[in-house]
Amino acid sequence: MWALRYFSTLLFRPSVMHIQRFLNTRGGRLTLTSILCVLLITVLAYDVMLENFKTLRYKYQAHRTRYICCNMVGGLGNLLFQYTFTLAMSRRFNMTMVCETDQIHKLQQIFTVPDCANDSKGIRLCFGEPAIKNEYNIGYDSKVGNLLLNSDSHFEGYFQSWLYWIKYEDVIRKHLAIKSNLKTSAKNYIDASLQELGIKNRTAVSLVGVHIRRGDMLNGFFRDYGYSVATEEYFHKAMAYVVKRVAKPVVFVVSSNDMEWSRAVVKETNAVFLVNNTREFDFVVLSMCEHFIMSVGTFGWWVGWHIQGMVIYYLKPFRPNSELSRVFTNDFVTTFTYPKWIGMS
């Protein structure tokens, strides 16, 4: 045995020394790095393949839960429509709703939305299915509403109609309750703003939220696609309508992405202009008003849904015969607009 160990030492010592010298060169270090990268990729690929195999095996189990998901894209209002549609369909067909983490976290910044992004198998299964698309984004699409779902279902679209989820509205109101800490911050902001106007008692006035979206709607894609913006005449008419029907003095609370134009339109001395706030904070402040005047877009739609008083909406959100007009249903005034809202132009 001693002889074997002796000859092994003679045989491998030069090789080890050679390798050490090689690794001290730039080429040696690059070679070692490449080998380590290949090993790492192999390990990661194995993990992915193993997870895919587990998912595939789970997919064909006879009595597993069925999943439903939707590509959630766009701004806050769009995300809310997509979320409520998917939630309602999951309740209707006794399915498990799964969501993408980034998008659901945007809603959880404001609302008490439960987590639906923690089922990795369900997410892979559902988003791996071909997408079911709606023909009409705005208003009730009966082809979608009449679907019967008995397998994993992946949706893509905007689904902007209260008719998809009205039967589950009580559940939806619980999910979309605004977080208490945000309501407290908004209340303090409102109280401080009223103090600046010389109003010491919040209950002495009626707050009327006004959302004026212009900016982006006047340029590029939105303009060419066919979006319209609410006119100065509309806002004056809507404000006069509310003032005439409210017993208390009115304070207008204005949120806009074109504040210069908005200040020129809302000239009342009793007005609070929301500046330098986040989109989320403006939403909460507006939702705490008694009444609301919206312009265009879905952000204002969901503020209106949170308000119990009068809600006035703009009747002409698109240019006739534009590309945008084709994604509105003919009955959008009744199937997109929430019941009892008041339309003006």
Side-chain angles (χ1 to χ4, degrees), residues 9 19 30 70-72 110 126 153 160 166 180 201 203 206 213 223 274 330:
T9 302
I19 291 171
L30 289 174
C70 180
N71 290 356
M72 294 175 65
I110 310 176
C126 194
S153 299
Q160 294 177 8
I166 192 64
S180 58
N201 188 353
T203 61
S206 286
R213 184 174 178 182
R223 179 196 60 205
L274 304 180
N330 291 331

Side-chain angles (χ1 to χ4, degrees), residues 135-148:
E135 182 177 358
Y136 298 101
N137 285 324
I138 304 160
Y140 183 72
D141 189 335
S142 59
K143 290 182 180 178
V144 173
N146 293 332
L147 286 173
L148 297 176

Side-chain angles (χ1 to χ4, degrees), residues 162 165-175 305 338:
W162 55 271
W165 44 259
I166 192 64
K167 291 182 180 179
Y168 307 95
E169 187 169 25
D170 288 345
V171 175
I172 287 168
R173 287 203 179 272
K174 291 178 181 177
H175 283 220
W305 182 76
Y338 196 70

Side-chain angles (χ1 to χ4, degrees), residues 86-308:
T86 312
L87 176 61
M89 295 291 270
S90 73
R91 293 294 178 115
R92 179 180 168 190
F93 294 104
N94 193 27
M95 303 172 78
T96 298
M97 177 180 176
V98 289
C99 313
E100 295 169 304
T101 302
D102 291 347
Q103 303 300 349
I104 205 64
H105 282 178
K106 291 178 182 178
L107 298 185
Q108 289 172 331
Q109 290 179 37
I110 310 176
F111 309 105
T112 55
V113 170
D115 194 3
C116 54
N118 56 4
D119 188 331
S120 57
K121 276 198 190 79
I123 290 171
R124 283 196 297 272
L125 278 175
C126 194
F127 285 99
E129 292 294 318
I132 302 169
K133 302 181 181 180
N134 59 343
E135 182 177 358
Y136 298 101
N137 285 324
I138 304 160
Y140 183 72
D141 189 335
S142 59
K143 290 182 180 178
V144 173
N146 293 332
L147 286 173
L148 297 176
L149 306 179
N150 54 20
S151 61
D152 299 327
S153 299
H154 170 201
F155 285 89
E156 181 179 312
Y158 291 93
F159 309 103
Q160 294 177 8
S161 173
W162 55 271
L163 281 172
Y164 290 121
W165 44 259
I166 192 64
K167 291 182 180 179
Y168 307 95
E169 187 169 25
D170 288 345
V171 175
I172 287 168
R173 287 203 179 272
K174 291 178 181 177
H175 283 220
L176 300 187
I178 295 172
K179 291 184 173 182
S180 58
N181 64 311
L182 296 179
K183 293 178 76 171
T184 299
S185 297
K187 179 183 180 300
N188 293 338
Y189 183 94
I190 291 170
D191 289 344
S193 299
L194 293 178
Q195 291 282 342
E196 290 180 7
L197 295 176
I199 301 169
K200 297 180 180 180
N201 188 353
R202 162 72 177 82
T203 61
V205 297
S206 286
L207 298 183
V208 179
V210 183
H211 180 240
I212 302 176
R213 184 174 178 182
R214 287 173 54 82
D216 57 335
M217 291 287 190
L218 296 172
N219 302 307
F221 167 79
F222 290 100
R223 179 196 60 205
D224 297 340
Y225 193 54
Y227 283 90
S228 294
V229 295
T231 63
E232 181 176 353
E233 179 187 4
Y234 160 75
F235 287 110
H236 286 164
K237 185 177 178 181
M239 289 188 292
Y241 182 92
V242 175
V243 169
K244 186 176 180 180
R245 286 162 178 79
V246 173
K248 298 178 182 179
V250 167
V251 174
F252 293 103
V253 181
V254 184
S255 170
S256 178
N257 62 352
D258 189 344
M259 197 56 79
E260 182 179 354
W261 189 88
S262 300
R263 288 182 185 275
V265 171
V266 184
K267 297 178 181 179
E268 281 71 10
T269 54
N270 276 3
V272 174
F273 294 90
L274 304 180
V275 294
N276 300 323
N277 299 316
T278 64
R279 170 187 67 175
E280 292 77 15
F281 188 76
D282 277 10
F283 185 100
V284 178
V285 172
L286 291 173
S287 73
M288 296 181 70
C289 296
E290 282 80 39
H291 311 286
F292 184 57
I293 299 168
M294 69 175 72
S295 53
V296 292
T298 53
F299 178 94
W301 196 103
W302 285 102
V303 172
W305 182 76
H306 275 83
I307 285 176
Q308 300 301 311

